[in-house]
């Protein structure tokens, strides 16, 4: 490529027209499920004050330590492109008074930014759909979140994801556990990698979250948080398990599941696949009861999850059948057809909601217009030429079927189209 062409930022991808129909269908399917559970959408800015993420995600996390896109704006304020959606959502809920004696079920969607090493399933701009709930403290809500995600996979025709769950207990319980963990890892210091040695000082539980396969043995031998859970968290977790059992959702309790972010408490869960290599987590979430207070609001219980759309799309792309190609390509031959052609197309759009009609612009021969009609993916070409204008008819050429050309009166054209596409099982409602 020529040297003077400016490329996109590394790790940030264009989503091209051949792919957007798949994105749209994926998003629409997810949106329908969210609505089926009464969730409402919230949209927040992609830029926030840096302190928001430092205070919520935690200073000693991968995200805040090394992944954020942080810069000073022209006023010298430190701003950060959101690396995730929870902090913004909580900020917005507090700021707009959505949490006063209210239960909220919210969802969001959009790009997130993390300065990671780009590879398959890991980008610097990626997209998440997430939900955050507020005001519900029980395991029933945790179970609902998981059932909702399970229904997403079902509606997307996706099998083979494994649900892993764990409980992180309360922060008091974690304090005791933390000491045990530091004791254990200090005794096994020689088996820790550089990152884990650093975490041993700052955030030892994060060592359990390591992605380094060489550390698997030492991590598996570590004391389990489950043994140090406070009674209430244990009961909460047991209830969640029975609710999942009752609903027939299979899960694996993974005592090493700690999540990368600091604000979690009690339930954490992940949906994992072995089909995406090292980037196997498709959806991750849990409870973060302390977060609202941590961000300056009145204490309100909260829980949610986020799923990575790029990873999910790789898994379900073949199941999606976006219906996005034009139904009709309008071929306009001859000088005087331009104006009546545009008018006819408008009339058809008025008469048939949902009809996708691609009008040929720019003139040209029959042959070249047919080539374009064929390439467009349309099922039929409507031909308007000088003859059709004078006889108030339209010629119809089938582009995907071996049938002879037809001529119909313009006055019955919309009826003809409704019949033809209705008969082909297409509906115009979307
Ligand atoms: P990972 O362990 O893969 O780094 P994470 O714990 O940092 O993930 P979360 O912050 O929980 O991820 O984000 C939720 C989901 O968003 C992940 O499960 C994943 O599907 C997706 N995700 C996270 N980071 C990226 C990224 N850089 N590129 C693409 N998808 C991502
Ligand atoms: Mg990460």
């Amino acid at each position: 490529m020529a040297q003077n062409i400016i490329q996109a930022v590394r790790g940030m991808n264009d989503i091209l027209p051949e792919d957007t129909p798949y994105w749209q269908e994926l998003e629409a399917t997810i949106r329908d499920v969210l609505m089926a559970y009464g969730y409402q959408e919230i949209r927040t800015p992609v830029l926030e004050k840096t302190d928001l993420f430092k205070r919520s995600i935690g200073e000693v996390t991968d995200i805040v330590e090394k992944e954020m896109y942080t810069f000073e704006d022209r006023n010298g304020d430190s701003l950060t492109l959101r690396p995730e959606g929870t902090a913004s959502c909580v900020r917005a809920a507090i700021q707009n008074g959505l949490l006063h004696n209210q239960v909220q079920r919210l969802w969001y969607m959009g790009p997130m930014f993390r300065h990671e090493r780009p590879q398959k399933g890991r980008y610097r701009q990626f997209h998440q759909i997430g939900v955050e709930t507020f005001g519900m403290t029980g395991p029933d809500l945790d179970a609902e979140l998981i059932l909702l995600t399970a229904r997403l996979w079902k509606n997307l025709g996706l099998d083979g994801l494994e649900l892993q769950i764990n409980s992180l207990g309360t922060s008091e319980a974690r304090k005791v556990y933390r000491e045990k963990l530091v004791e254990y890892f200090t005794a096994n210091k020689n088996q820790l990698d550089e990152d884990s040695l650093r975490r041993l000082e700052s955030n030892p539980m994060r060592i359990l979250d390591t992605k380094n396969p060489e550390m698997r043995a030492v991590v598996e031998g570590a004391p389990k948080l489950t043994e140090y859970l406070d009674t209430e968290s244990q009961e909460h977790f047991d209830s969640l398990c029975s609710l999942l059992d009752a609903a027939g959702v299979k899960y694996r309790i993974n005592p090493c599941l700690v999540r990368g972010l600091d604000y979690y408490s009690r339930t954490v869960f992940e949906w994992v696949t072995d089909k995406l290599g090292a980037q196997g987590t498709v959806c991750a979430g849990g409870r973060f009861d302390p977060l609202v207070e941590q961000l300056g609001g009145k204490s309100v219980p909260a829980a949610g999850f986020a799923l990575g759309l790029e990873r999910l799309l790789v898994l379900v792309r073949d199941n999606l059948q976006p219906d996005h190609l034009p139904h009709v390509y309008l071929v306009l031959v001859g000088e005087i057809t331009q104006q009546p052609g545009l008018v006819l197309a408008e009339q058809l759009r008025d008469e048939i909601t949902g009809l996708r009609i691609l009008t040929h612009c720019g003139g040209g021969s029959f042959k070249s217009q047919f080539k374009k009609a064929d390439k467009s993916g349309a099922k039929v070409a409507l031909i308007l030429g000088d003859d059709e204008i004078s006889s108030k008819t339209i010629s119809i050429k089938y582009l995907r079927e071996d049938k002879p050309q037809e001529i119909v009166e313009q006055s019955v054209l919309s009826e003809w189209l409704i019949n033809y596409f209705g008969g082909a099982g297409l509906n115009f409602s979307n």
Side-chain angles (χ1 to χ4, degrees):
M1 211 171 278
Q3 290 249 305
N4 62 354
I5 293 177
I6 297 173
Q7 306 276 308
V9 176
R10 189 165 121 83
M12 303 201 180
N13 300 312
D14 301 306
I15 302 174
L16 298 175
E18 62 183 17
D19 291 319
T20 46
Y22 291 89
W23 280 83
Q24 288 167 350
E25 196 182 329
L26 177 63
E27 291 162 7
T29 307
I30 299 173
R31 204 177 298 137
D32 286 350
V33 172
L34 293 166
M35 284 175 72
Y37 286 77
Y39 284 71
Q40 293 178 297
E41 186 182 6
I42 183 165
R43 301 185 183 189
T44 64
V46 292
L47 263 187
E48 296 275 2
K49 292 182 181 154
T50 303
D51 280 345
L52 175 67
F53 302 113
K54 286 194 175 166
R55 240 211 268 175
S56 58
I57 297 170
E59 300 260 6
V60 283
T61 54
D62 283 352
I63 292 183
V64 173
E65 276 179 348
K66 53 189 190 198
E67 295 176 358
M68 294 205 304
Y69 280 90
T70 296
F71 61 95
E72 279 189 8
D73 75 358
R74 289 170 195 276
N75 303 328
D77 295 328
S78 180
L79 303 180
T80 294
L81 278 168
R82 63 177 180 200
E84 51 103 54
T86 301
S88 311
C89 192
V90 172
R91 192 236 355 105
I94 296 172
Q95 185 177 338
N96 295 290
L98 305 186
L99 305 179
H100 298 303
N101 301 320
Q102 292 172 65
V103 162
Q104 294 287 356
R105 285 178 167 85
L106 306 176
W107 69 273
Y108 60 84
M109 168 169 80
M112 307 294 160
F113 304 86
R114 296 185 193 176
H115 196 274
E116 304 196 65
R117 191 170 69 77
Q119 53 198 292
K120 199 165 179 296
R122 196 174 288 289
Y123 309 100
R124 290 182 173 173
Q125 174 174 323
F126 61 99
H127 298 80
Q128 287 184 338
I129 288 185
V131 323
E132 316 294 351
T133 70
F134 300 99
M136 289 162 285
T137 189
D140 47 351
L141 185 271
D142 304 12
E144 176 184 286
L145 290 175
I146 290 174
L147 292 177
L148 190 163
T149 49
R151 183 170 299 279
L152 285 177
W153 318 145
K154 186 172 148 192
N155 289 12
L156 289 165
L158 174 60
D159 333 291
L161 290 187
E162 182 187 61
L163 171 63
Q164 301 183 0
I165 59 174
N166 191 23
S167 176
L168 301 184
T170 58
S171 65
E172 293 77 44
R174 284 202 297 275
K175 230 175 258 161
V176 180
Y177 174 62
R178 200 185 134 110
E179 281 166 23
K180 299 285 168 199
L181 207 57
V182 171
E183 227 168 77
Y184 168 82
F185 281 127
T186 309
N188 293 283
K189 238 179 177 167
N190 55 340
Q191 294 183 56
L192 299 187
D193 62 12
E194 202 180 307
D195 249 3
S196 301
L197 283 171
R198 203 162 36 84
R199 286 176 179 156
L200 187 55
E201 307 295 324
S202 57
N203 194 351
M205 277 180 64
R206 293 292 321 287
I207 299 176
L208 301 174
D209 197 31
T210 178
K211 296 200 170 65
N212 182 354
E214 284 166 24
M215 288 203 19
R216 188 166 298 155
V218 67
V219 162
E220 275 171 11
K224 304 284 180 280
L225 178 53
T226 342
E227 292 152 27
Y228 298 88
L229 275 193
D230 53 290
T231 323
E232 276 185 38
S233 295
Q234 186 63 55
E235 282 168 12
H236 186 107
F237 191 61
D238 292 343
S239 307
L240 171 63
C241 293
S242 9
L243 289 166
L244 293 177
D245 291 336
V249 176
K250 292 206 178 58
Y251 55 87
R252 180 165 78 82
I253 298 174
N254 175 2
C256 293
L257 188 65
V258 293
R259 304 288 310 113
L261 316 182
D262 266 359
Y263 47 61
Y264 285 93
S265 62
R266 293 199 170 152
T267 308
V268 287
F269 68 88
E270 287 192 2
W271 288 94
V272 182
T273 173
D274 54 11
K275 296 200 184 90
L276 297 174
Q279 275 57 251
T281 304
V282 177
C283 172
R287 185 161 275 288
F288 36 90
D289 291 338
L291 183 58
V292 177
E293 199 173 11
Q294 210 170 302
L295 288 177
K298 217 173 107 215
S299 174
V300 170
F305 65 79
L307 55 87
L309 289 173
E310 280 82 1
R311 294 183 194 177
L312 185 56
L313 188 58
V314 169
L315 296 173
V316 303
R317 186 175 170 118
D318 290 346
N319 304 347
L320 298 172
Q321 289 170 326
D323 177 22
H324 60 287
L325 298 174
H327 297 106
V328 166
Y329 193 100
L330 181 56
V331 171
L332 300 175
V333 197
E335 276 300 293
I336 57 156
T337 56
Q338 212 172 59
Q339 189 228 52
L342 284 172
V343 170
L344 175 68
E346 287 307 311
Q347 208 177 315
L348 292 174
R349 291 188 188 102
D350 278 340
E351 286 166 3
I352 311 176
T353 310
L355 179 71
R356 293 186 292 266
I357 171 161
L358 219 166
T359 307
H360 184 86
C361 287
S365 68
F366 247 123
K367 205 175 153 203
S368 75
Q369 292 198 34
F370 271 127
K371 261 198 194 145
K372 292 193 172 100
D374 192 45
K375 220 176 146 197
S376 75
K379 291 258 183 331
V380 297
L382 300 182
I383 304 152
L384 196 61
D386 297 343
D387 291 350
E388 284 85 359
I389 298 270
S390 55
S391 60
K392 292 200 169 60
T393 59
I394 195 114
S395 297
I396 295 171
K397 186 174 160 64
Y398 294 92
L399 295 169
R400 318 284 151 202
E401 283 176 276
D402 195 11
K403 283 207 267 186
Q405 202 160 310
E406 284 177 34
I407 296 178
V408 302
E409 303 277 331
Q410 283 180 23
S411 59
V412 297
L413 179 58
S414 52
E415 205 177 312
W416 187 94
L417 287 167
I418 290 170
N419 263 334
Y420 177 72
F421 285 105
L426 296 178
N427 69 62
F428 292 115
S429 60
N430 50 16

